[in-house]
Amino acid sequence: MTKENIPFDMYNYHAWANQTILGRIRELPSSVLHQEVNSSYPTLAHALSHIYAVDQMWYLVLTGMEMPEAFQATLTLNERVLESVDAYESVYSELAQKFNAWFQSQPDLEQSVLLNNPFAGPRQTRFSEMILHVVNHGTYHRGNVTTMLRQLGHASTMNDYALYWYQQPAASLG
């Protein structure tokens, strides 16, 4: 893997890990998605909505929207819980397709733009840094989901980057 492919591969890991954790939740009773727990989020659905909202916000930033506007545009997604694992799988998959199309159209992931972060101020930021943030943010909150599952009496599933290496299709190994 070349340095230029790292953000793309890491994003694909992120999409795979999201689908993997959703697959585990699908195996459990459907009520688990909305069962209240004393944790970082009141329910698994709230945690999943947060991951999705932040991913969507960064997608908007990557495609040219200023961060304050992207944040405002996705604010309601953070609180909107979906009714089923199917619904989460669908929106996550649709957004992953948009990210992958963006990757195809973006020749220089080391391109820098002025990111006007409403919480931290302006900073020149590379697209690759933004992608790695999306991945890191998702990993952090999938950890929350794992903890919440355990608090609800269920095991989670491994979704580490090292497992992703072995789950990739053989065709991508060349």
Side-chain angles (χ1 to χ4, degrees):
M1 174 184 350
T2 65
K3 179 181 173 187
E4 295 77 31
N5 292 337
I6 291 172
F8 177 71
D9 190 56
M10 291 302 296
Y11 180 78
N12 284 334
Y13 154 69
H14 172 67
W16 170 86
N18 285 339
Q19 292 299 327
T20 299
I21 201 85
L22 286 167
R24 173 59 183 135
I25 296 168
R26 172 185 294 292
E27 296 170 351
L28 303 172
S30 61
S31 61
V32 168
L33 185 63
H34 298 285
Q35 190 174 346
E36 293 207 11
V37 62
N38 186 17
S39 191
S40 302
Y41 295 92
T43 68
L44 293 170
H46 283 88
L48 295 170
S49 290
H50 175 72
I51 295 169
Y52 174 76
V54 171
D55 283 11
Q56 178 68 33
M57 192 231 22
W58 282 105
Y59 173 77
L60 293 174
V61 171
L62 288 164
T63 57
M65 187 179 283
E66 291 293 325
M67 189 173 180
E69 287 78 19
F71 178 75
Q72 285 301 314
T74 58
L75 198 56
T76 59
L77 295 176
N78 201 40
E79 295 300 321
R80 190 185 99 207
V81 295
L82 304 180
E83 291 303 313
S84 67
V85 173
D86 285 343
Y88 281 104
E89 285 177 333
S90 178
V91 296
Y92 275 55
S93 178
E94 181 182 312
L95 187 55
Q97 290 172 12
K98 288 180 181 181
F99 265 96
N100 280 314
W102 177 82
F103 276 110
Q104 298 303 317
S105 70
Q106 186 58 41
D108 183 9
L109 295 177
E110 294 310 304
Q111 177 183 337
S112 180
V113 296
L114 183 62
L115 179 67
N116 186 11
N117 186 322
F119 307 105
R123 177 188 187 274
Q124 284 298 126
T125 308
R126 294 184 312 274
F127 288 140
S128 62
E129 291 177 297
M130 292 181 218
I131 294 299
L132 292 177
H133 172 71
V134 167
V135 175
N136 189 54
H137 177 265
T139 299
Y140 176 79
H141 287 299
R142 284 188 301 274
N144 292 146
V145 169
T146 291
T147 298
M148 293 166 75
L149 283 169
R150 288 183 182 139
Q151 288 174 320
L152 293 169
H154 304 285
S156 186
T157 188
M158 185 175 172
N159 58 75
D160 291 346
Y161 184 55
L163 180 60
Y164 167 75
W165 299 337
Y166 295 93
Q167 300 293 318
Q168 295 179 76
S172 71
L173 298 177

